[in-house]
Amino acid sequence: MRPGSIIYFLREAFKSLSRNRLLSIATISTVAISILILGFAVLLTINAGALMQDLESDVEIVAFLDKKLTKSQITDIKQDLTAVSGVKSVKFVSREQALAKMQEKYGGNEYNLKETLGKNPLPHSYEIKADDPHNVPQIAGQVSKIDGIYKVNYGQGVVERLFKVTRWVRIVSIVFIVLLVFAAVFLIATTIRLAIFARRKEIYLMKLIGSTDWFIRWPFFIEGVFMGAVGGLIAILILAAGYSSLIGHMDTMFFIPLVTSPKILRNIYIGLLVCGATLGVLGTWVSLNRFLDV
Amino acid sequence: MLVQFYNVSKIYPNGVKALDDISLKIDRGEFLFLMGPSGAGKSTLVKMLFREELPTRGQIFLASRSIVRMKRGDVPRLRRNIGIVFQDFKLLENKTVYENIAFAMEVVGTSSREIKERVMEVINMVGLKGKENSFPGELSGGEQQRVGIARALANRPLLLIADEPTGNLDIDTSHEIMELLFDINRIGTTVIMATHARELVKPAGKRVLMLDKGRIVADNPPGELVL
């Protein structure tokens, strides 16, 4: 491509933008609305994902120990537990700590559990976290085989159901986003087709005069990128303003943890901007090819 | 030999047979009228020269290159050697006379210095000096067609194709356009003109190819036309 051509392409692209102002605004608005919806869906998905991960990471195994174990036996068991593959951490909880926890959870200040029960009925235990919460049931099976452990508890039944739910939430949100992207491409392509249709005579003429397809495409692509990026930028500004005010209010209203990491949010916004520009080009590509077939 | 048709037939997908076994040779520097009633196949024949249509059967050569076997990527180069003049002018309404002609050179990637020189040259050639900043809407039909011809000439084509160039013009204006086309032919450009207008063809004394129902029914050499 000659430098002269690049200047020509840019000039043509921006001439066309201002000449077809109404259609340009329509396209930019279409992109902005599409990206806004898409961005909303992405934020929702990311937050749902974070919530799911939060719930999943709460899943842990509690291994209760036989009551008549010596201190060294208890230490040996810890080593056995750490050796089980997939185990991330092992934490010892003494019977006293366990009772204190229970007191805090159920007794509050009104009942003294120790007095009510007469003596501490709780055994020593280990709290085990897995590298991947999905492996918890399998790790629990192995842990239960270790000598000195009489019972293993990880919320059997509930955990399996939780994982099923989180899996479906993830699948549904990905499908939803893919469908949204398709809808956006279609919508934007339709709007851009209007703009190109208005210039079909010019394109036909260029073809008959002997323009190459790429020479005709470039100005349209530049236009598409520009409209896509501007539309994307508008959507991101709205989205960012909305989300940050939501973060402000959520803290005081609900207990749902929102994703606030600036790095993640910045990546999402950059991704959406790229997405807008790509949609602009994709829409142009889809619409333009039909008119180039002369 | 500039143009050669060998046993060319064209059947459209809807079954219409537009051309039926056409063989034809056109020399460099010739002026050829293509005559015949509507639907005789004039437009189809003309469109094959710049590959807007491909033949169903047969071979076509322009300057010894096969148009039929040509790759898609080579079509732009073929078309740069051909200037096309349309019945409805096909000028861009939002561009001035100058810009309409410059457009034809820009879209094939000519440098702006060369464009400036050449555009004024062809504007003078078609007799539109002083009108370069007018918009097509401000011009008469004859003037608009002169812009169309200037645009077709801008890239110095080997072959000028005019498909009913006077179809939208009155008789006096039509004669002026004919004179212009003869002038262009005289300085060396091969011209093929499809037309209905006997009154333009008869006094010209040029070669006339008569088409009817997709076949060549007469090929009269220059000066021998009896209509």
Side-chain angles (χ1 to χ4, degrees):
Chain A
M1 208 192 301
R2 294 186 305 111
S5 301
I6 296 170
I7 293 165
Y8 171 82
F9 294 149
L10 283 169
R11 195 160 39 103
E12 282 301 305
F14 286 98
K15 243 198 266 173
S16 159
L17 275 170
S18 68
R19 202 188 298 145
N20 307 307
R21 207 166 299 150
L22 213 62
L23 278 170
S24 304
I25 291 171
T27 307
I28 290 172
S29 311
T30 311
V31 174
I33 292 166
S34 302
I35 296 292
L36 197 60
I37 296 172
L38 191 67
F40 186 73
V42 169
L43 284 176
L44 210 63
T45 306
I46 296 277
N47 277 296
L51 185 64
M52 296 300 128
Q53 209 170 18
D54 208 41
L55 290 176
E56 282 177 356
S57 67
D58 279 350
V59 173
E60 58 180 17
I61 303 164
V62 181
F64 298 104
L65 304 181
D66 282 334
K67 285 196 176 163
K68 288 161 192 155
L69 291 176
T70 64
K71 264 199 178 141
S72 74
Q73 279 173 312
I74 290 172
T75 320
D76 287 349
I77 288 175
K78 179 162 188 175
Q79 267 160 14
D80 290 344
L81 287 172
T82 317
V84 173
S85 79
V87 168
K88 189 166 100 187
S89 66
V90 176
K91 188 181 146 208
F92 180 74
V93 180
S94 70
R95 9 191 342 226
E96 292 74 26
Q97 285 169 325
L99 187 69
K101 239 190 206 174
M102 201 178 222
Q103 170 73 44
E104 194 184 309
K105 209 168 175 184
Y106 301 108
N109 297 324
E110 291 168 43
Y111 307 101
N112 189 321
L113 282 180
K114 204 169 181 179
E115 272 174 22
T116 316
L117 294 169
K119 59 174 180 146
N120 183 357
L122 299 173
H124 294 311
S125 63
Y126 278 114
E127 285 178 3
I128 304 156
K129 291 239 179 201
D131 286 330
D132 180 355
H134 291 95
N135 295 333
V136 158
Q138 184 210 328
I139 294 171
Q142 275 175 275
V143 167
S144 65
K145 284 180 208 140
I146 295 171
D147 273 345
I149 288 173
Y150 86 92
K151 201 183 168 208
V152 170
N153 196 346
Y154 64 91
Q156 288 90 332
V158 179
V159 166
E160 284 84 351
R161 241 175 296 156
L162 173 70
F163 288 155
K164 218 183 225 172
V165 170
T166 55
R167 214 181 101 218
W168 275 106
V169 169
R170 284 189 183 118
I171 291 173
V172 167
S173 36
I174 287 168
V175 168
F176 185 57
I177 286 176
V178 168
L179 287 178
L180 269 177
V181 168
F182 271 108
V185 170
F186 179 76
L187 201 66
I188 292 163
T190 308
T191 322
I192 290 177
R193 186 171 303 145
L194 284 175
I196 295 176
F197 188 77
R199 293 178 61 190
R200 68 195 179 287
K201 188 174 147 187
E202 204 174 322
I203 295 171
Y204 174 74
L205 207 54
M206 288 169 90
K207 285 289 291 192
L208 290 195
I209 289 168
S211 283
T212 59
D213 286 351
W214 275 106
F215 197 91
I216 299 172
R217 274 190 199 118
W218 273 115
F220 283 104
F221 278 174
I222 293 170
E223 232 182 298
V225 168
F226 180 80
M227 292 191 294
V230 170
L233 204 63
I234 293 171
I236 290 162
L237 290 178
I238 296 173
L239 215 57
Y243 191 70
S244 63
S245 87
L246 191 68
I247 291 174
H249 285 88
M250 272 300 203
D251 269 356
T252 54
M253 278 161 60
F254 301 99
F255 296 100
I256 300 167
L258 282 176
V259 174
T260 54
S261 147
K263 200 175 148 208
I264 292 177
L265 290 178
R266 196 190 59 209
N267 286 345
I268 291 175
Y269 295 146
I270 290 173
L272 288 173
L273 187 67
V274 171
C275 198
T278 310
L279 284 177
V281 174
L282 223 54
T284 309
W285 178 273
V286 171
S287 306
L288 191 56
N289 272 354
R290 217 162 42 103
F291 294 97
L292 289 178
D293 196 20
V294 177
Chain B
M1 207 56 65
L2 186 63
V3 178
Q4 291 152 290
F5 276 60
Y6 292 106
N7 308 102
V8 171
S9 294
K10 174 72 181 183
I11 301 162
Y12 283 105
N14 60 10
V16 172
K17 198 169 198 175
L19 290 180
D20 186 5
D21 200 29
I22 298 280
S23 292
L24 167 69
K25 285 191 170 113
I26 303 168
D27 258 326
R28 280 175 199 271
E30 260 195 277
F31 192 113
L32 175 75
F33 281 113
L34 209 54
M35 289 201 73
S38 298
K42 302 189 294 290
S43 280
T44 303
L45 195 153
V46 155
K47 281 179 177 168
M48 281 180 177
L49 286 168
F50 47 87
R51 210 177 187 266
E52 194 180 343
E53 298 286 354
L54 277 171
T56 315
R57 267 194 304 278
Q59 270 298 337
I60 304 170
F61 294 91
L62 182 87
S64 305
R65 286 203 61 192
S66 168
I67 292 177
V68 181
R69 275 189 246 123
M70 181 175 284
K71 276 181 266 150
R72 204 183 138 80
D74 288 334
V75 173
R77 207 176 331 142
L78 165 78
R79 290 178 176 166
R80 287 170 199 195
N81 284 315
I82 301 174
I84 309 170
V85 179
F86 304 90
Q87 177 173 0
D88 59 355
F89 321 135
K90 293 205 193 303
L91 302 178
L92 301 174
E93 299 298 325
N94 51 17
K95 288 187 195 294
T96 64
V97 168
Y98 182 96
E99 289 166 344
N100 262 286
I101 299 165
F103 173 76
M105 302 183 74
E106 278 169 359
V107 301
V108 299
T110 315
S111 74
S112 53
R113 193 163 46 89
E114 216 178 318
I115 291 174
K116 252 175 229 161
E117 257 174 54
R118 179 66 178 162
V119 172
M120 287 321 293
E121 203 175 301
V122 288
I123 283 180
N124 287 338
M125 203 187 286
V126 300
L128 283 178
K129 199 171 179 188
K131 300 265 182 188
E132 50 270 20
N133 293 322
S134 306
F135 286 91
E138 300 163 357
L139 300 177
S140 71
E143 287 170 327
Q144 290 190 45
Q145 192 56 295
R146 284 171 191 271
V147 180
I149 292 169
R151 182 182 61 195
L153 289 176
N155 291 324
R156 304 175 199 277
L158 285 172
L159 174 63
L160 188 80
I161 295 173
D163 192 1
E164 302 274 2
T166 60
N168 288 3
L169 305 175
D170 62 47
I171 184 69
D172 289 340
T173 314
S174 295
H175 278 295
E176 287 168 28
I177 293 295
M178 287 315 301
E179 283 311 315
L180 179 57
L181 291 175
F182 292 146
D183 285 344
I184 289 161
N185 176 238
R186 216 166 285 137
I187 56 172
T189 309
T190 309
V191 179
I192 298 175
M193 170 171 160
T195 184
H196 278 101
R198 286 161 192 275
E199 65 279 13
L200 297 178
V201 174
K202 207 169 174 181
K206 303 287 186 187
R207 180 181 172 194
V208 182
L209 196 78
M210 299 281 290
L211 284 178
D212 192 25
K213 297 191 180 77
R215 294 182 144 270
I216 297 177
V217 293
D219 187 351
N220 299 298
E224 288 184 20
L225 175 66
V226 186
L227 280 170

